[in-house]
Amino acid sequence: MRAARLPSTGSDLVIEEVPDPTPGPGQVVVKIAASGVCHSDVTIQKAGPGMPSVPYFPWTLGHENTGHVRALGDGVTGFEVGDAVAVWPGWGDGTCRICRAGHEHICPNVSYVGVTQPGGWADYLLVPAARHLVPLGDLDPVQAAPLTDAGLTAYGAVSKVLGRLTESDRSVAVIGAGGLGQFAIKYLSALTPARIVAVDVDAGKREHALTIGASMAVDSSSDEAVRQLLDVSGDGLGVDAVIDFVGIDSTLALAAGVIAPCGALILVGIGGGTLSFGYTSPNQEVQVSTSSLGSRADLAAVISLWKEHGINAEATRYSLDDVNQALQDLAEHKIAERGVLVM
Ligand SMILES: NC(=O)c1ccc[n+]([C@@H]2O[C@H](COP(=O)([O-])OP(=O)(O)OC[C@H]3O[C@@H](n4cnc5c(N)ncnc54)[C@H](O)[C@@H]3O)[C@@H](O)[C@H]2O)c1
């Protein structure tokens, strides 16, 4: 099969012929239809802060995968060759108490496809267990690809703040209105009456956010950003939730500085920053949580939200041969919503 592989840290990817995977007992081979391009891939390529180092070179990236079942290992039930599937990306051991509680994506022994297991920027992907697949039925796998990480992770983060955003005088700031942040804005807009503020350094992203559900956009690089966010509800108290999809020192400081009493700060972006709170009094009752991917049930919910409410990303399509262009366009903020490699 063909695969786009990273030969060494910081290099361009190269297209190579590699052996087709064959499924062992319990495993499934998926013929990839599409695989999304995420900012995490840019970070992995450069060995930037926050992401684990790839296990070896040359490495096949790609954690946002959909396709059709190509071959089933012994003992696999519930799927037939040809079924359209989405690949849930957080592969835990399936047996520990974290997995048994439904949080396999944060299992202490988790592997991430495309990060610590070979990924889907290739013709075929070996999936270690059928439980990592979610059936797509007659949905288009190419369109479904961004749901398997950008949609899933945004939904996982949004789910953590829904309870705070049940009234129209509530507000939420989404820092980083790129691939993941745009999904968050769409889910927040569909699921809450709260005021949604998009915060981004890029003017194009801010403008776009206003067309998909944000009612206000703030330039995080402006000296006015803190004041604008504190004044969102007109009382100077700040926003009831912040979801930070960037995660560098400056965005974390901004988030910590604008959160209202009883608010929640959700950290998603893998920017390698440090969050520091000057703790002087308990009376703020702010909650801080990291958020990683989402559960398999969350992926099923995200697929339903696409079916029922049409929530998805507009995909900018690239061929596998154009993978380096896709990574460059993402790094330069040139992709409107989500880049997708179509095999
Ligand atoms: N926690 C998880 O499970 C998880 C999963 C997937 C991706 N991620 C991480 O989420 C982040 C977002 O990924 P993406 O694919 O949406 O990236 P993206 O490149 O599509 O979007 C990033 C957005 O952040 C904006 N931005 C950059 N610097 C900023 C700043 N200082 N202030 C405000 N906005 C700024 C950019 O203009 C862009 O709109 C990445 O760090 C990625 O690694 C985390």
Side-chain angles (χ1 to χ4, degrees):
M1 68 172 182
R2 295 171 85 230
R5 303 213 292 173
L6 178 68
S8 59
T9 299
S11 308
D12 277 357
L13 275 66
V14 289
I15 308 294
E16 293 179 342
E17 288 287 335
V18 297
D20 290 2
T22 48
Q27 300 179 331
V28 180
V29 171
V30 172
K31 180 171 187 346
I32 296 293
S35 187
V37 181
C38 176
H39 209 99
S40 300
D41 299 311
V42 176
T43 308
I44 294 168
Q45 183 186 24
K46 295 178 182 156
M51 295 300 294
S53 308
V54 301
Y56 55 83
F57 293 110
W59 184 252
T60 306
L61 291 95
H63 56 270
E64 217 171 62
N65 302 302
T66 53
H68 296 93
V69 172
R70 159 87 172 184
L72 299 166
D74 286 348
V76 176
T77 55
F79 290 95
E80 303 280 344
V81 170
D83 283 355
V85 289
V87 181
W88 182 71
W91 301 344
D93 57 33
T95 56
C96 71
R97 67 186 162 90
I98 307 295
C99 288
R100 291 199 310 274
H103 309 301
E104 188 173 338
H105 55 296
I106 49 171
C107 166
N109 299 313
V110 71
S111 287
Y112 298 111
V113 58
V115 183
T116 52
Q117 292 286 324
W121 291 0
D123 290 322
Y124 303 111
L125 174 71
L126 181 66
V127 178
R131 70 175 186 279
H132 304 316
L133 301 176
V134 175
L136 285 173
D138 55 7
L139 296 171
D140 175 9
V142 174
Q143 288 186 52
L147 300 175
T148 62
D149 174 38
L152 172 69
T153 304
Y155 182 77
V158 163
S159 305
K160 294 180 173 68
V161 297
L162 286 178
R164 291 181 156 76
L165 302 174
T166 51
E167 306 293 334
S168 57
D169 64 352
R170 299 303 170 101
S171 57
V172 50
V174 173
I175 303 182
L180 273 64
Q182 291 166 356
F183 265 108
I185 291 168
K186 292 174 187 178
Y187 293 135
L188 287 162
S189 175
L191 301 175
T192 82
R195 182 143 206 231
I196 303 162
V197 187
V199 183
D200 206 292
V201 276
D202 185 88
K205 297 288 180 187
R206 292 198 300 276
E207 235 167 77
H208 187 62
L210 295 172
T211 70
I212 57 172
S215 58
M216 180 177 161
V218 166
D219 178 359
S220 51
S221 63
S222 150
D223 292 342
E224 290 294 294
V226 170
R227 187 193 56 74
Q228 288 175 308
L229 288 163
L230 286 173
D231 280 349
V232 167
S233 300
D235 53 12
L237 290 176
V239 288
D240 300 290
V242 181
I243 310 178
D244 184 351
F245 289 101
V246 181
I248 58 177
D249 286 347
S250 62
T251 58
L252 293 168
L254 178 64
V258 300
I259 194 82
C262 225
L265 172 46
I266 311 298
L267 312 179
V268 183
I270 306 173
T274 303
L275 174 69
S276 77
F277 261 114
Y279 176 73
T280 51
S281 152
N283 70 4
Q284 294 288 302
E285 295 201 0
V286 166
Q287 289 191 358
V288 178
S289 173
T290 56
S291 195
S292 177
L293 293 174
S295 66
R296 232 182 335 260
D298 288 336
L299 182 53
V302 157
I303 291 168
S304 296
L305 281 163
W306 175 35
K307 272 201 312 206
E308 285 153 28
H309 297 272
I311 300 177
N312 203 337
E314 174 198 315
T316 302
R317 296 179 180 215
Y318 297 86
S319 69
L320 188 65
D321 293 296
D322 288 332
V323 62
N324 291 305
Q325 189 63 53
L327 284 164
Q328 190 181 332
D329 288 352
L330 178 64
E332 294 175 358
H333 308 201
K334 287 185 182 158
I335 295 175
E337 295 204 342
R338 199 67 165 170
V340 167
L341 304 178
V342 179
M343 306 308 158

